[in-house]
Structures are given as C-alpha cells and as structure tokens.
Amino acid sequence: IYKFTCSRGNSTYIGETIRHSKRRFSEHLGVSALTGKPVPNPQPSRIRDHRLQCQCTTTIDDFEVIGRETTSEHRLCVKESLFIHRDKPNLNIRGASTPLVLFGK
C-alpha cells in the first residue's frame, strides 16, 4: 500500500499494488521503470492527471510505502480501504477499494 503526496503538499493519493512498487510508481508517472523515459501510451492515472493540472514536479520520491500485506489480495484491499478512510486522500475517486462495514445497526 502506497501513498503519493504532491510536491506542493496539497494533494494525496493512496493505492495498492501486488507488483514491485517502483514499477507501479513509474506507471503513475508515465515513464518506464527501467529507463525513466516517457512511455508512448501511459495507463490512465489520477496522479498523472493531477501532475499535468498542477504543473508540479513529481518523482518517485513523492511516493512512500505505508503498509504491506502478503497473505491475500483481499486483505490488501481491506488495508488500503482503511488507509483511505483514515487519511481521506483527495485524489482518490472512490472512498475505498473494498466496501467496509465496520459497525451494524
């Protein structure tokens, strides 16, 4: 589970990946994880959209690993949802990657 913080400090994003973190961070930046050069058809990314709108300088240093889960992808999504609920990152569109029902009526 990772957190992106804009270099200007006004925006954050929380995400999860089962791949190597450098590869995922590079995808958000629209660059190759191997060469650091721009890729021709980058995947859609809220972080890249923000970077273009904000016109801020973004590097891999703006990402940090904030949690880990190695036993199951479902538990990974639950942990990501808990971090999103706690930190309320403004670049995340959905409020959670998996619905959390913590307290019933």
Side-chain angles (χ1 to χ4, degrees), residues 19-72:
R19 296 185 315 257
H20 190 280
S21 57
K22 182 180 179 184
R23 173 172 281 175
R24 184 65 185 121
F25 302 163
S26 296
E27 289 172 354
H28 279 299
L29 299 176
V31 299
S32 166
L34 297 175
T35 66
K37 295 181 180 178
V39 295
N41 296 311
Q43 296 179 2
S45 167
R46 294 282 298 155
I47 293 170
R48 193 172 51 261
D49 293 346
H50 167 76
R51 190 177 94 198
L52 294 171
Q53 181 182 21
C54 176
Q55 296 183 350
C56 51
T57 303
T58 304
T59 69
I60 287 188
D61 293 333
D62 296 319
F63 294 84
E64 65 177 311
V65 175
I66 59 173
R68 297 183 189 280
E69 178 55 55
T70 59
T71 59
S72 81

Side-chain angles (χ1 to χ4, degrees), residues 70-84:
T70 59
T71 59
S72 81
E73 286 187 48
H74 177 70
R75 287 176 61 123
L76 179 68
C77 290
V78 169
K79 283 187 177 182
E80 177 196 18
S81 295
L82 289 169
F83 278 110
I84 290 170

